[in-house]
């Protein structure tokens, strides 16, 4: 039987993606999951249909919010936008993993408790995709390079596939938090993800937080799916 401490720790590390286009669908999932989940990601799909208001609701209800808007703009705009996000009391926020943008985001975060993460390479991308973007290197090399810049400019962590987590942690001496999307339980569909890992593999590789969407919200019983994933994470942590 798993130690309850590790179940609680795993539950803290699970972030459920509210990947919807309608805020009412997102609210329903939150109700269905109840106390099983305490941390939610709000992305671009909800941004213009009540995403910020939903973030306020979740925070007021004692939940943590990861605002995954991946800010990408000139430095002053990014700094001001990040400062506004900090005023919402969100827990995590993403920006593109470009040094100047991450530096501006770190300044905008100020002394707030919000953590800023640089997006390294999307888990829906592979070597061919980054080559098309003009990067003549392996995906892992680009992830590590951007992570080192993130550490240098003072953001709190990076968004990276669990496949790169172990090497990333080694290369940055464990000084960055790692949030890993592209997590799929064994036997489930990859959908649009190209660089995936199971919850247990991701935990063992050194990811600090895991983001899961479809394996939970598309399940016939989302709360049961979340419990199964939390159990797998806890077993890997124990």
């Amino acid at each position: 039987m798993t130690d309850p401490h590790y179940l609680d720790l795993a539950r803290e590390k699970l972030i459920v993606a509210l990947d919807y286009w309608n805020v009412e669908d997102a609210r329903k999932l939150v109700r269905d999951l109840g106390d099983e989940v305490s941390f939610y990601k709000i992305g671009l799909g909800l941004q213009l249909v009540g995403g910020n208001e939903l973030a306020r609701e979740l925070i007021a209800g004692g939940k943590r919010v990861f605002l995954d808007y991946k800010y990408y703009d000139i430095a002053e705009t990014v700094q001001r936008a990040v400062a506004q996000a900090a005023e919402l009391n969100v827990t995590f926020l993403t920006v593109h993993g470009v040094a100047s943008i991450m530096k501006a985001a770190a300044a905008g975060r100020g002394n707030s408790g919000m953590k800023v993460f640089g997006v390294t390479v999307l888990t829906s991308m592979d070597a061919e995709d980054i080559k098309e973007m003009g990067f003549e290197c392996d995906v892992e090399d680009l992830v590590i390079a951007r992570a080192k810049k993130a550490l240098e400019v003072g953001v709190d962590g990076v968004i990276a596939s669990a496949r790169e987590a172990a090497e990333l942690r080694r290369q940055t001496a464990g000084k960055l938090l790692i949030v890993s999307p592209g997590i799929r339980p064994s036997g489930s569909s990859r959908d649009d993800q190209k660089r995936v890992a199971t919850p247990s593999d991701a935990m063992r590789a050194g990811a600090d937080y895991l983001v899961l969407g479809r394996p939970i919200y598309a399940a016939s019983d989302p709360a049961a799916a979340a419990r199964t994933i939390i159990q797998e994470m806890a077993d890997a942590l124990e």
Side-chain angles (χ1 to χ4, degrees), residues 151-168:
L151 183 60
E152 182 182 313
V153 301
V155 296
D156 302 283
V158 291
I159 310 298
S161 165
R163 289 190 179 187
E164 292 102 39
E167 182 63 15
L168 193 159

Side-chain angles (χ1 to χ4, degrees), residues 127-138:
E128 285 301 311
D129 294 307
I130 68 167
K131 184 177 180 181
E132 185 179 321
M133 294 165 62
F135 294 102
E136 296 291 339
C137 62
D138 293 336

Side-chain angles (χ1 to χ4, degrees), residues 161-170 178 180 197-208 236:
S161 165
R163 289 190 179 187
E164 292 102 39
E167 182 63 15
L168 193 159
R169 190 162 294 288
R170 189 182 73 81
I178 302 171
S180 291
T198 65
S200 57
D201 286 345
M203 287 284 92
R204 293 189 181 106
D208 293 293

Side-chain angles (χ1 to χ4, degrees), residues 59-113:
I59 293 165
K63 305 293 187 182
R64 290 170 295 158
V65 171
F66 168 14
L67 207 59
D68 186 26
Y69 287 176
K70 301 181 182 71
Y71 290 151
Y72 186 73
D73 212 311
I74 63 172
E76 183 179 357
T77 299
V78 169
Q79 181 173 339
R80 290 179 179 273
V82 170
Q84 289 180 337
E87 291 177 3
L88 280 177
N89 291 319
V90 300
T91 303
F92 289 175
L93 177 76
T94 51
V95 300
H96 270 256
V98 177
S100 60
I101 292 173
M102 291 190 291
K103 185 176 182 180
R109 174 202 60 205
N111 295 320
S112 72

Side-chain angles (χ1 to χ4, degrees), residues 16-30:
V16 172
L18 297 174
D19 290 338
Y20 292 104
W21 300 98
N22 182 302
V23 74
E24 291 306 322
D25 291 335
R27 288 190 177 107
K28 181 181 184 303
L29 180 66
V30 173

